[in-house]
């Protein structure tokens, strides 16, 4: 293990040798000191920091030491988990506080290394005391390992009909140790994601199947696919596998409207009297088409739709459905008069249709 270094003077010794060196001091104390003096009191020990990275680093040691007759010496002993010992003198920093700094070397072993830190103090009568103030932990270096290499993604097919279907996802994943898991993450069109496990089909090739649901929307749906591989310690490697497109729901073609006849004549009608003629509207589209919505409107007095409103009569006709409307002619003046009935297709997929109307108002009885 690399040697420890300190920010103050110190030397490396073995723990048994230190204890042997202290025994004469303990047994040769003057008789007057026995029973007349208390050893120093050590408190409030602190290590900053108490945990280092595997690269080691500097640690500050601090403590408070008080004695009834006076403190003579304070030093710290740092004992490694391998049995080595390192001592460093601690300097007063004001009041009863003492501190020291020490550099802990890197740990290149396969296991954690710990250092127990003891503070020793003596007073002017050579009475000694000690206190364990904590441990310094230096973890083992991280395992050296590269993330998996993920390559050659394959997604088939990339285009699906509106009904959806199954998509086969394949990828190659390798690692210098081992690959523990491979999966595809699919971004869903409406938000969120779905995960698809990929199973090995060879030493480095993995495959899975994603079931794509039908697309009920009016636009194509996109599913983005990313593939991730994990090694035996959980390191990920990933690759973008592109996307899958699901066609929009087929738009049902609109039906077609027809009106009959193309024109209507009411003949001569006495002023103040009324006459009626019929107009037919039919959805002539094939059965596979959707119903047609629209509105039929008269041009205005003296021509009006029976039971109509100011904006006309709205209708919805299924394929093949026919509806008959009555148009009323009620002249208020003498002479020839003209108007029309219009049929409007609501979605604008067909030009407006019209029936031309004519009639003569007369004063003769």
């Amino acid at each position: 293990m690399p040697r420890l270094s300190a920010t103050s003077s110190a030397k490396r010794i073995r723990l048994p040798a230190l204890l042997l060196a202290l025994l004469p001091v303990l047994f040769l104390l003057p008789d007057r000191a026995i029973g007349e003096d208390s050893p120093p009191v050590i408190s409030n020990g602190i290590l900053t920091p108490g945990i280092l990275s595997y690269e080691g680093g500097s640690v500050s040691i601090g403590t408070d030491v008080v004695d009834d007759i006076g403190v003579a010496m304070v030093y710290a002993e740092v004992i490694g988990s391998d049995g080595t010992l390192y001592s460093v003198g601690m300097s007063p920093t004001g009041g009863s506080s003492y501190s020291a700094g020490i550099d802990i070397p890197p740990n290149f072993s396969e296991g954690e290394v710990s250092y127990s830190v003891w503070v020793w103090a003596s007073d002017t009568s050579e009475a000694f005391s000690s206190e364990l103030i904590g441990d310094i932990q230096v973890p083992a270096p991280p395992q050296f390992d590269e993330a998996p290499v993920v390559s050659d993604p394959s997604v088939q097919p990339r285009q699906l009909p509106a009904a959806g279907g199954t998509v086969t996802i394949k990828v190659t994943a390798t690692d210098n140790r081992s690959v523990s898991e491979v999966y595809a993450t699919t971004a869903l069109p409406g938000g969120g994601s779905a995960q698809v496990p990929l199973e090995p089909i060879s030493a480095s090739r993995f495959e899975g199947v994603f079931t794509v649901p039908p697309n009920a929307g009016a636009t194509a749906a996109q599913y983005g696919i990313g593939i991730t591989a994990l090694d035996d310690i959980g390191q990920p490697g990933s690759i973008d596998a592109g996307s899958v497109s699901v066609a929009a729901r087929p738009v049902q073609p609109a039906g077609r409207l027809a009106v009959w006849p193309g024109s209507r004549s009411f003949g001569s009608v006495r002023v103040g009297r009324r006459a009626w003629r019929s107009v037919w509207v039919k959805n002539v589209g094939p059965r596979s088409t959707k119903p047609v919505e629209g509105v039929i409107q008269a041009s205005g007095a003296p021509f009006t739709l029976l039971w109509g409103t100011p904006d006309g009569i709205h209708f919805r006709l299924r394929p093949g459905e026919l509806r008959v409307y009555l148009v009323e002619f009620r002249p208020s003046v003498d002479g020839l008069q003209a108007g029309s009935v219009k049929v409007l297709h609501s979605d604008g997929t067909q030009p407006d249709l019209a029936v031309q109307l004519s009639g003569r108002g007369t004063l003769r009885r």
Side-chain angles (χ1 to χ4, degrees):
M1 185 183 73
R3 292 196 174 191
L4 297 162
S5 62
T7 57
S8 60
S9 60
K11 64 178 182 177
R12 177 189 172 115
I13 61 175
R14 295 185 178 276
L15 180 59
L18 176 66
L19 295 177
L20 290 174
L22 291 175
L23 288 177
V25 177
L26 296 176
F27 286 104
L28 296 177
L29 290 174
D31 292 339
R32 59 179 176 83
I34 300 175
E36 297 177 2
D37 181 29
S38 298
V41 176
I42 302 169
S43 62
N44 301 323
I46 186 170
L47 300 174
T48 308
I51 300 177
L52 299 172
S53 73
Y54 80 96
E55 297 173 319
S58 297
V59 176
S60 295
I61 306 170
T63 190
D64 289 338
V65 181
V66 295
D67 188 75
D68 52 352
I69 62 173
V71 177
M73 180 177 59
V74 180
Y75 63 94
E77 289 181 348
V78 182
I79 305 171
S81 54
D82 60 354
T84 59
L85 178 146
Y86 193 79
S87 64
V88 56
M90 300 185 68
S91 303
T93 57
S96 60
S97 298
Y98 290 79
S99 68
I102 191 164
D103 293 326
I104 303 298
N107 176 18
F108 296 114
S109 66
E110 294 184 357
E112 180 182 83
V113 175
S114 63
Y115 298 86
S116 298
V117 180
W118 291 76
V119 172
W120 289 75
S122 66
D123 61 15
T124 54
S125 295
E126 299 183 340
F128 277 84
S129 61
S130 64
E131 187 76 25
L132 174 65
I133 65 169
D135 293 320
I136 302 169
Q137 306 295 329
V138 184
Q143 290 182 305
F144 177 75
D145 188 18
E146 295 181 351
V149 176
V150 186
S151 62
D152 193 21
S154 169
V155 178
Q156 293 295 333
R158 296 257 182 200
Q159 305 286 334
L160 289 173
T166 57
V167 173
T168 300
I169 304 171
K170 297 181 181 180
V171 77
T172 297
T174 59
D175 187 71
N176 58 353
R177 294 166 63 97
S178 65
V179 175
S180 64
E181 183 181 3
V182 181
Y183 59 88
T185 302
T186 304
L188 304 179
S193 62
Q195 198 172 94
V196 181
L198 305 186
E199 302 297 335
I201 56 175
S202 71
S204 60
R205 195 70 173 165
F206 296 79
E207 178 181 309
V209 175
F210 174 49
T211 301
V212 183
N215 179 17
T219 59
Q222 300 292 328
Y223 293 80
I225 299 175
I227 303 176
T228 301
L230 303 178
D231 64 12
D232 58 343
I233 62 172
Q235 291 187 114
S238 60
I239 193 170
D240 183 0
S243 63
V244 171
S245 178
V246 184
R249 171 177 46 85
V251 178
Q252 189 177 9
R256 302 286 296 177
L257 294 176
V259 295
W260 185 89
S263 62
R264 275 294 194 191
S265 175
F266 288 82
S268 296
V269 179
R270 284 183 60 185
V271 172
R273 298 288 179 91
R274 64 188 72 186
W276 296 273
R277 297 289 186 270
S278 64
V279 173
W280 298 359
V281 180
K282 184 178 182 180
N283 181 351
V284 295
R287 291 183 179 180
S288 60
T289 60
K290 63 182 180 181
V292 174
E293 295 184 1
V295 61
I296 182 170
Q297 300 172 332
S299 55
F303 301 100
T304 58
L305 283 171
L306 200 62
W307 305 299
T309 64
D311 65 341
I313 299 175
H314 293 267
F315 60 83
R316 186 175 189 271
L317 299 178
R318 296 185 301 273
E321 186 177 1
L322 170 71
R323 196 162 295 175
V324 178
Y325 297 93
L326 292 178
V327 183
E328 179 181 283
F329 173 52
R330 187 176 184 179
S332 59
V333 295
D334 185 38
L336 183 63
Q337 298 171 57
S340 64
V341 168
K342 288 185 178 181
V343 178
L344 288 73
H345 200 298
S346 293
D347 61 12
T349 58
Q350 182 179 354
D352 297 342
L353 303 174
V355 176
Q356 301 302 317
L357 305 176
S358 63
R360 179 180 295 276
T362 179
L363 298 176
R364 291 180 297 175
R365 291 183 179 273

